[in-house]
Structure formats: structure tokens, C-alpha cells
Amino acid sequence: QKEVEQNSGPLSVPEGAIASLNCTYSDRGSQSFFWYRQYSGKSPELIMFIYSNGDKEDGRFTAQLNKASQYVSLLIRDSQPSDSATYLCAVNTGNQFYFGTGTSLTVIP
Amino acid sequence: GAGVSQSPRYKVAKRGQDVALRCDPISGHVSLFWYQQALGQGPEFLTYFQNEAQLDKSGLPSDRFFAERPEGSVSTLKIQRTQQEDSAVYLCASSRERLNTGELFFGEGSRLTVL
């Protein structure tokens, strides 16, 4: 079992819709959780981080964390074509930063 | 500099050649990571430095891979006797904090192609 699991997609949503990206992790001691966006041929860039159970909102993005279920999600509201990218879930276990394989998102105009 | 800088951006090597990839992290950042990213995959951990100390090298795939950060700033990843399976993008990331806090800032990566 990998440390971080993501549905690789591809996920397609129409412009203006909500995109929902999910991630599970295996280490219960994990301390912080990150969502990175990676455009094709580019390096990952941080979208959001979350440390505590519950929701964290930043503009059109909402991160949700459920430590009991070992589950992290990212919601993108009012999706735009510029949101089309691969979204990487990353987990800091205190000993290591682990990344998922990424979910490819396409927003259709 | 303003961000993490990596060089070369692109490297083509013949099988069996040695290569060296350089990472210049954000000034003052304590933590430095190397990741390997194959096409269509997420970044896979290679090694981690806290200042000049290499605290974890468990991700290095073989003894052909070696990394150093002698003065706690610039780091070099060296791959000896390159093989085709070494072809990937090598990402360097740095963090202001020690490992258990903070976010990672990535460089643009070094794309290695082994022929």
C-alpha cells in the first residue's frame, strides 16, 4: 500500500462546476496535508495546506480533512479552464513528505 | 535568489555516463529534498537534508545515486553509470522549516534523458 493514494482520473468537469479531488493516506501520525497543482511540464506549486480536522477555505478552493478516516479532499468551485492541471496530494508524516500520483483535471469550456 | 533554482534544465546522457544535477534552494531554507518524477507519476522521494546533514537517503534507488549539501545551501545529486530507467525529471524542493512543519517550494526540475 502506498503512503498516499489518489484517483488518477482523468476527471473532467464543465466550466463553472465544482471539481472534487480525493486523497487517502496510510500513516495515522501524519501531521500536515498539502495540495499542489502541477501544469504539464512545470513544477508543483502549492494550492493549500491544512493541519486540523474540518474545512479550510481560500477563495474558490476548499480543503477538507478527516483524520479519523485518513481522508483529505480538495473542492474547486466555479471551475475555470485555467484550473486544468494535475493535482498532487502531499502528506507530511513528520519523518517524510509523501506525494500521491496525482489526479488529472480537465475543465471543459 | 527568489526561488529554487535547478540546473541543467535538460540533460541528455549516453548510458553509462555520469551526471550531476545542481539545486540552489531559497536562501536560508533549512530543509532540502530531492524527488524523482517519472512521466505521469507523482514525485518519488529520493533524499532529505537538514542544513548540511543528510538525514534520510532511503529513497535513493541504488548506490549509483549520491547527493551532497556540504555547506548547507547548494546541493548536488550525482548519478553514476546512468541507465535508461534513470530517465525522469529530478525535482529539488526546499523548506524554511525543519521536516515536520512547513511547505515545500519546488524548482523547475532537471529533465534527464538517458539514451
Side-chain angles (χ1 to χ4, degrees), chain A residues 21-73:
Chain A
L21 306 164
N22 305 313
C23 171
T24 59
Y25 59 94
S26 61
D27 187 337
R28 285 195 171 274
S30 299
Q31 302 176 6
S32 49
F33 307 86
F34 303 81
W35 283 99
Y36 283 81
R37 177 176 62 198
Q38 187 173 28
Y39 292 113
S40 180
K42 299 294 187 181
S43 60
E45 56 180 342
L46 183 69
I47 298 294
M48 289 194 70
F49 61 87
I50 186 167
Y51 298 150
S52 304
N53 273 330
D55 295 0
K56 179 181 179 182
E57 187 173 319
D58 184 1
R60 296 186 295 111
F61 298 93
T62 299
Q64 299 174 317
L65 173 62
N66 183 327
K67 289 188 176 181
S69 301
Q70 295 173 240
Y71 177 90
V72 193
S73 66

Side-chain angles (χ1 to χ4, degrees), chain A residues 2 31 34 36 38 42-44 46 51 88 92 94-97 99-101, chain B residues 33 35 37 41-45 56 91 99-104 106-108:
Chain A
K2 291 182 72 72
Q31 302 176 6
F34 303 81
Y36 283 81
Q38 187 173 28
K42 299 294 187 181
S43 60
L46 183 69
Y51 298 150
L88 297 164
N92 185 337
N95 294 313
Q96 196 41 269
F97 261 99
F99 284 81
T101 55
Chain B
F33 297 78
Y35 287 87
Q37 188 172 28
Q41 300 296 313
E44 293 282 345
F45 169 76
D56 190 341
L91 294 168
L99 178 56
N100 59 352
T101 62
E103 63 184 270
L104 297 183
F106 282 88
E108 290 294 320

Side-chain angles (χ1 to χ4, degrees), chain B residues 11-108:
Chain B
K11 176 69 178 178
V12 178
K14 292 183 179 179
R15 189 171 55 184
Q17 277 186 322
D18 297 348
V19 299
L21 308 176
R22 175 189 169 105
C23 173
D24 202 337
I26 295 172
S27 179
H29 275 201
V30 169
S31 296
L32 185 146
F33 297 78
W34 283 99
Y35 287 87
Q36 181 191 60
Q37 188 172 28
L39 190 64
Q41 300 296 313
E44 293 282 345
F45 169 76
L46 293 176
T47 187
Y48 160 63
F49 290 86
Q50 186 179 110
N51 296 309
E52 69 279 4
Q54 188 175 23
L55 298 188
D56 190 341
K57 57 180 181 179
S58 62
L60 296 177
S62 77
D63 59 6
R64 297 186 294 104
F65 287 70
F66 171 78
E68 61 182 2
R69 193 186 185 197
E71 297 178 359
S73 55
V74 171
S75 177
T76 303
L77 175 67
K78 298 178 180 178
I79 309 172
Q80 297 177 321
R81 304 181 303 282
T82 52
Q83 303 295 312
Q84 286 188 322
E85 62 263 27
D86 300 334
S87 297
V89 175
Y90 291 84
L91 294 168
C92 176
S94 70
S95 174
R96 182 184 306 116
E97 312 286 345
R98 294 178 182 174
L99 178 56
N100 59 352
T101 62
E103 63 184 270
L104 297 183
F105 295 86
F106 282 88
E108 290 294 320

